[in-house]
Amino acid sequence: MTEKSTLSIRPAEDCRYDIVSLGEIMLRLDPGEGRIRTARHFRAWEGGGEYNVARGLRRCFGMRAGVVTAFADNEMGLLMEDFILQGGVDTSLIKWVPYDGIGRSVRNGLNFTERGFGIRGAVGCSDRGNTAASQLKPGDVDWDHLFGTLGVRWFHTGGIFAALSETTGPVVIEAAKAAEKHGTIVSYDLNYRPSLWKGFGGIDKCREINREIARHVDVMIGNEEDFTACLGFEVEGVDDNLTDLDTGAFGRMIAKAVAEYPNFKATATTMRGVKTATVNDWGAMCWMDGTFYTSTHRPELEIMDRVGGGDSFASGFIYGLMTFGDPQKAVEYGAAHGALAMTTPGDTTMASLKEVEKLVGGGGARVDR
């Protein structure tokens, strides 16, 4: 389908970081089994689409991870820093912005998320306007120092951060260009969110920004809706939940994408069929070197908390490519890690590498003693 392409990943000994992500991190407030609207107490977590990938690579897969983001310098920011430290992710790249006392000029984001159950779907209610991360602009980060002097093997970011404001998309472009210059692999999760783009230009602006970003991406992650909305590629033969994905049709769409963006060395997508909030069909597929690979399909997978499942897929997929250079193993590790991450609460993984390896190897849920 395309000329063969391979990933050339920088040697570990030449780099301080195996993975660095760029994105916003919010305080997730979780009402547990209850509803946001009636809750009297919440459990606090940290989370963010791009950050979750780096944290998964550190916490589950043992890789050296850092995060580029920004916080208002107040108690909430310090709480989120503490969460990040507990996950083992380096915080030295965080930009701290003076706080004005009330959040008029800068603040930290809140994300109220209920998990759903059965016929009641998950609900998210974010409060993220005017956050420190959304105000990052080109020139705020010394990317040449990060990618050149310190050294980063893999850089990950995504469409949620790019959509936060009129300045964050250009920051992604600036970062991706610098990473490309220094030989760092760039992955990008399209993660289309119409609510984020509608404030400044809608889908036209979304495509303008994402098409420019795509020119500097090595590994593109996204489902059918993401590729259609963000890059303008259509795929036929697929339902809204990707349960009846025609791999031939998806392949033809990827062929078009790779023809327009020959810099793509791999693409990947999850396949989630939502039967209820707690029972999903789950799988994944990827393209690399002209060939498609599919993971083990897990029909009627029981889940506790679906939020972050796609991010955990991405971290497992990246781990597989970095460690084995084998796309079949990569998509299996990604799908297994995503499945395990959805069995526990919160955005971020609680799985171990041994658990992922067991699931990849066909292991079940028998008690380990």
Side-chain angles (χ1 to χ4, degrees), residues 304-325:
M304 175 181 287
D305 187 344
R306 65 167 285 169
V307 178
D311 303 328
S312 291
F313 162 77
S315 58
F317 181 67
I318 291 168
Y319 171 79
L321 291 179
M322 293 184 75
T323 304
F324 308 112

Side-chain angles (χ1 to χ4, degrees), residues 169-207:
V171 170
V172 173
I173 295 167
E174 177 188 58
K177 286 181 176 179
E180 182 181 33
K181 180 174 72 173
H182 291 286
T184 298
I185 297 296
V186 177
S187 61
Y188 186 80
D189 192 334
L190 289 162
N191 254 333
Y192 176 60
R193 299 290 188 272
S195 61
L196 294 178
W197 288 103
K198 68 181 181 182
F200 61 102
I203 196 166
D204 290 337
K205 188 67 173 179
C206 170
R207 288 181 176 175

Side-chain angles (χ1 to χ4, degrees), residues 95-115:
K95 178 183 178 182
W96 292 91
V97 181
Y99 183 58
D100 62 11
I102 61 172
R104 179 181 289 115
S105 60
V106 68
R107 55 193 291 270
N108 296 309
L110 300 175
N111 184 26
F112 294 84
T113 303
E114 58 184 60
R115 305 170 200 164

Side-chain angles (χ1 to χ4, degrees), residues 69-147:
T69 190
F71 289 144
D73 192 355
N74 59 20
E75 295 301 308
M76 189 190 303
L78 294 172
L79 173 61
M80 289 194 286
E81 181 193 38
D82 191 65
F83 281 134
I84 297 167
L85 289 168
Q86 290 178 51
V89 177
D90 179 58
T91 60
S92 66
L93 305 174
I94 295 173
K95 178 183 178 182
W96 292 91
V97 181
Y99 183 58
D100 62 11
I102 61 172
R104 179 181 289 115
S105 60
V106 68
R107 55 193 291 270
N108 296 309
L110 300 175
N111 184 26
F112 294 84
T113 303
E114 58 184 60
R115 305 170 200 164
F117 184 85
I119 60 172
R120 175 173 58 85
V123 175
C125 180
S126 61
D127 182 13
R128 68 197 312 172
N130 223 31
T131 60
S134 72
Q135 296 182 52
L136 284 172
K137 61 186 184 303
D140 282 349
V141 179
D142 187 343
W143 299 111
D144 285 329
H145 176 71
L146 175 58
F147 295 124

Side-chain angles (χ1 to χ4, degrees), residues 277-291:
T278 40
V279 176
N280 289 186
D281 293 336
W282 176 256
M285 64 184 297
C286 75
W287 169 92
M288 189 173 180
D289 296 343
T291 302

